[in-house]
Amino acid sequence: MEQRVIVRGAPALYYCETGILDKLDCLLQPYTYKRVLVVHGDRSLKAAKPFFPKLTKLTLLYLRYNGECTLEEARRIARYAQAEQADVILGVGGGKVMDVVKAAGNEAQLDTILVPTLASNCAAWTPLSVFYNEHGQFTNYTIFPKSTLMVLVEPRIALQAPVAYLRAGIADTLAKWYEADVLIRKLEHPSIAIQIAHHSARLCQSTLLEHGRQSIQDAETKQLSAAFVQVVETIIMTGGMVGGFGDHLGRIAGAHSVHNGLTVAPETHVLLHGDKVAYGILVQLVLEDNLPEVQRLLPFYLGMNLPYRLTDLGLSSQDTATLKNIASGTTHPNESIHFMKSGITADDVYQAIVTLEHAISES
């Protein structure tokens, strides 16, 4: 794989602290920004509004997004921002809000500020957007030439979010290590940027294995603990740095291809993205002939209530046809599983699923 990478390491400014949104006037003062277009979903605005400044000299213009990150939605928001003479676009919400605001800012040539309300992915950190059609089907992703101006994390907002999103975010970020490592470790002389990506990926794994279970317990009891904040920052910041510094060597490999393959089975549609990626990590490890690491991860999966068996995904080991369809989807010619090594076939993936099932039943 080509080692040359484009480094897009970080937003211009990043804050993770309680009360950060109350300082919005001070944060924007150096830029002389006065008119702020706030793009939001219904639940995200309700979650974040109590933390916005009570007294402000800013003009806050609120615009609800249409629920999907499409090219047309990004253009609609950009046109609205221009018509309202907004100085900056501020996104409040989950990954799709983050992505559509980045795209709208690029279209309108305006700076963006991102306020994630969920610790479920690193979308707030990365200068790219994943686009879907109006039916929610993936179409493409675009990397922008300019990073976000600010990422403002108010941890108390994430603490109020459904715990399932945090659990899924932990699983998705755990995959950063396994997917980056399988790509980077084969390089004889990785560049400094790629080494930063590799170390960041390892930090994702070590922090999540150490603090993941505690962060879930604290989220369930609404305790703003050091463990919870560390996990939130790992998902948003450290996870974002893996791709930010590693580019194509720090994004996705086998685990995410398995996720994509699983989407061909309607039974899996009720699962969150990170839950399917969690299972994908285990299948990737089997493909790497690394069953000892599967066994090492199982107690963590059990403690976190992450899926590790087909029944956890609503599937059956007896349904060979569905499993082979999943394996076929996993190994589509455009899938990232082929970055691991060339020649991985649908039968290889099917056999890995079967092997994983047997290994778990015997443990």
Side-chain angles (χ1 to χ4, degrees):
M1 180 176 294
E2 176 62 47
Q3 187 177 336
R4 180 180 175 273
V5 297
I6 299 172
V7 176
R8 300 176 181 85
L13 291 168
Y14 168 81
Y15 295 88
C16 176
E17 60 182 73
T18 58
I20 189 60
L21 296 182
D22 208 33
K23 301 175 182 176
L24 201 55
D25 286 65
C26 293
L27 292 171
L28 291 184
Q29 192 273 331
Y31 304 95
T32 67
Y33 292 161
K34 300 294 185 185
R35 294 176 66 80
V36 182
L37 176 60
V38 181
V39 178
H40 60 87
D42 292 333
R43 287 177 294 179
S44 59
L45 183 63
K46 183 179 179 182
K49 198 73 182 287
F51 301 98
F52 271 69
K54 303 298 182 289
L55 297 172
T56 178
K57 295 180 180 178
L58 300 168
T59 300
L60 302 180
L61 312 160
Y62 292 92
L63 178 66
R64 182 183 179 278
Y65 98 114
N66 283 340
E68 200 58 77
C69 182
T70 65
L71 287 168
E72 183 49 45
E73 177 65 355
R75 293 182 185 123
R76 181 185 76 90
I77 294 168
R79 288 194 297 267
Y80 188 89
Q82 291 167 329
E84 293 293 328
Q85 297 182 307
D87 299 313
V88 64
I89 307 176
L90 187 151
V92 178
K96 288 188 177 180
V97 175
M98 303 292 95
D99 280 3
V100 79
V101 165
K102 285 180 283 186
N106 182 70
E107 179 80 13
Q109 295 187 314
L110 292 174
D111 278 330
T112 55
I113 301 169
L114 300 179
V115 179
T117 56
L118 302 171
S120 58
N121 54 61
C122 60
W125 189 270
T126 56
L128 64 84
S129 292
V130 179
F131 289 103
Y132 301 84
N133 61 25
E134 60 274 14
H135 304 297
Q137 298 165 324
F138 169 79
T139 58
N140 65 290
Y141 73 88
T142 300
I143 299 175
F144 303 116
K146 184 178 179 181
S147 292
T148 298
L149 178 65
M150 297 182 197
V151 174
L152 308 178
V153 179
E154 167 54 82
R156 292 175 297 177
I157 300 176
L159 190 64
Q160 302 304 316
V163 178
Y165 288 100
L166 177 63
R167 181 181 292 107
I170 289 170
D172 196 33
T173 308
L174 183 64
K176 299 283 185 183
W177 166 247
Y178 295 101
E179 295 191 287
D181 181 55
V182 75
L183 303 180
I184 293 173
R185 69 183 182 222
K186 65 182 75 170
L187 302 177
E188 285 189 26
H189 304 289
S191 68
I192 292 298
I194 293 170
Q195 290 181 57
I196 291 172
H198 206 194
H199 286 299
S200 298
R202 174 61 93 178
L203 184 59
C204 287
Q205 185 219 33
S206 61
T207 303
L208 296 176
L209 291 182
E210 182 177 355
H211 299 294
R213 289 178 66 178
Q214 186 63 52
S215 74
I216 292 293
Q217 292 172 20
D218 295 336
E220 289 171 342
T221 57
K222 305 304 177 192
Q223 298 294 315
L224 188 61
S225 65
F228 177 80
V229 173
Q230 281 217 28
V231 167
V232 167
E233 289 205 279
T234 298
I235 293 167
I236 293 172
M237 177 172 59
T238 319
M241 287 176 62
V242 180
F245 284 90
D247 198 12
H248 57 280
L249 291 165
R251 294 216 161 89
I252 52 177
H256 273 79
S257 289
V258 174
H259 163 279
N260 296 343
L262 286 168
T263 62
V264 307
E267 297 91 336
T268 70
H269 292 180
V270 296
L271 298 169
L272 293 174
H273 170 88
D275 292 327
K276 286 177 276 196
V277 171
Y279 181 77
I281 293 170
L282 302 181
V283 175
Q284 176 182 312
L285 287 169
V286 175
L287 287 167
E288 294 179 57
D289 295 321
N290 195 356
L291 277 172
E293 185 67 5
V294 171
Q295 298 295 343
R296 190 171 85 89
L297 283 176
L298 279 181
F300 179 75
Y301 273 56
L302 284 163
M304 291 284 295
N305 199 26
L306 291 171
Y308 61 96
R309 300 167 299 191
L310 289 170
T311 52
D312 298 332
L313 304 168
L315 302 171
S316 168
S317 59
Q318 307 303 314
D319 188 353
T320 303
T322 295
L323 298 184
K324 289 193 172 181
N325 281 338
I326 290 167
S328 180
T330 300
T331 53
H332 185 278
N334 294 331
E335 277 296 340
S336 57
I337 197 169
H338 302 295
F339 296 158
M340 291 171 55
K341 63 178 181 179
S342 60
I344 295 177
T345 66
D347 188 59
D348 292 333
V349 174
Y350 171 73
Q351 293 299 333
I353 291 170
V354 172
T355 299
L356 175 62
E357 202 73 6
H358 287 160
I360 287 168
S361 65
E362 293 170 1
S363 63

